[in-house]
Amino acid sequence: RFVRKNGVTRHIILIRHGQYDETHKEDEHRILTELGRKQAELTGKRLAEMIKGVNEKFGPCNVKVLRVSDMARAKETADIIAKQLPTMDGGGGGVERSFPDADLNEGRPAHHIPGGKARQSIIDRTDENHPRIEKAFQKYFYRADPPSEDQELPSTTTTTATEEEQSPDENTDTTTTTTATTLKPNPKHEFEIIVCHANVIRYFMCRALQLPPEAWLRLCIFNCSLNYVTIRPTGTVSCRLLGDIGHLGHEHSTFSMHHGFNW
């Protein structure tokens, strides 16, 4: 009970990169299309809305870091998103950026069921990619360290500044009071944003929810969709969003080069 009340909940938001040019084989040339850049911009704005907070009880989100794979399309998406994100003090683009992590690169994370007869090349590629992607999962999906019995968490109260200004008229004994309130993040909640790839996200979601990882291919993760899980200090995992593209609108919704939903 002490851990449940005083521990830190980790929030992990997984984002698939925007639509990119698939006509090239070299990764450095597989950059976002114009539509993909717009998807990333809209996603950054949506995240900014989620982060800023509502009131004193539900204040701004404490975003610790923005992570990204080492592939061009993901890094470009992360760059565009980062420009939209506020800092906790109201500035712009101040969320910490981690170095690109090749363990988050796209690949076939596991064999899938149901499935027909697979070519040997696909079997070999899956067996090669699985350990890397599983390593990434274990690196980023974990519960926060439990609090100690004597640990004091920082206050979540607001900061208020009051200023009194004397009227220029010395015969007038009136003052004006200006109050500015700054919302503070709740220290019991930490957020991470990870920009990576559809197969990796599908595998992560299955693993996090303790579903058979061989079911990863049954999930459909659209470009710049939001996929969001919480990890409570007790270890309980909950899915808050899966494949959410409501912020994009129909005209900006794609799965790779497929537009809309009639495919």
Side-chain angles (χ1 to χ4, degrees), residues 5-230:
K5 286 188 64 177
N6 298 282
V8 173
T9 295
R10 301 189 65 244
H11 301 247
I12 302 176
I13 302 176
L14 300 159
I15 301 171
R16 186 189 176 192
H17 55 78
Q19 185 192 61
Y20 69 100
D21 184 351
E22 299 185 25
T23 61
H24 297 278
K25 292 185 178 181
E26 302 83 4
D27 178 65
E28 61 270 22
H29 298 306
R30 307 185 90 179
I31 59 176
L32 299 185
T33 63
E34 182 178 352
L35 175 56
R37 291 190 290 272
K38 183 63 177 178
Q39 290 170 337
E41 179 187 349
L42 292 171
T43 302
K45 291 180 178 178
R46 174 58 177 149
L47 287 170
E49 290 177 346
M50 295 168 62
I51 288 169
K52 69 180 181 181
V54 178
N55 52 35
E56 196 170 327
K57 183 177 181 180
F58 300 101
C61 302
N62 182 20
V63 181
K64 305 293 287 186
V65 66
L66 171 61
R67 305 188 187 280
V68 64
S69 85
D70 197 29
M71 303 190 82
R73 55 191 183 271
K75 290 187 286 188
E76 187 179 0
T77 300
D79 288 343
I80 296 172
I81 288 174
K83 293 177 182 177
Q84 306 294 330
L85 300 183
T87 58
M88 293 302 98
D89 60 3
V95 173
E96 178 189 346
R97 300 283 302 275
S98 70
F99 289 107
D101 184 357
D103 287 340
L104 292 168
N105 286 3
E106 184 64 303
R108 294 184 63 86
H111 300 289
H112 62 274
I113 300 173
K117 184 177 181 179
R119 299 193 304 272
Q120 187 61 45
S121 59
I122 293 179
I123 295 173
D124 294 342
R125 192 159 66 246
T126 303
D127 290 342
E128 178 184 355
N129 288 325
H130 171 74
R132 169 180 61 80
I133 298 173
E134 173 62 20
K135 176 184 174 184
F137 173 78
Q138 296 191 29
K139 189 187 306 183
Y140 298 123
F141 286 76
Y142 56 88
R143 73 179 78 177
D145 292 334
S148 60
E149 293 286 346
D150 57 352
Q151 178 178 341
E152 289 188 12
L153 291 172
S155 171
T156 61
T157 57
T158 57
T159 300
T160 302
T162 301
E163 179 183 349
E164 292 188 352
E165 297 178 354
Q166 184 68 36
S167 170
D169 185 356
E170 293 182 359
N171 297 323
T172 305
D173 189 23
T174 59
T175 60
T176 58
T177 301
T178 303
T179 302
T181 302
T182 302
L183 297 176
K184 288 186 176 181
N186 189 331
K188 293 183 181 179
H189 296 268
E190 295 182 352
F191 289 72
E192 287 192 12
I193 300 170
I194 303 177
V195 181
C196 55
H197 306 270
N199 293 353
V200 176
I201 293 172
R202 291 188 271 197
Y203 178 79
F204 283 177
M205 295 300 286
C206 286
R207 287 282 284 112
L209 297 173
Q210 296 180 301
L211 301 174
E214 294 82 8
W216 66 270
L217 199 55
R218 303 185 197 185
L219 304 179
C220 189
I221 306 298
F222 277 57
N223 294 108
C224 279
S225 60
L226 301 178
N227 308 271
Y228 175 5
V229 298
T230 59

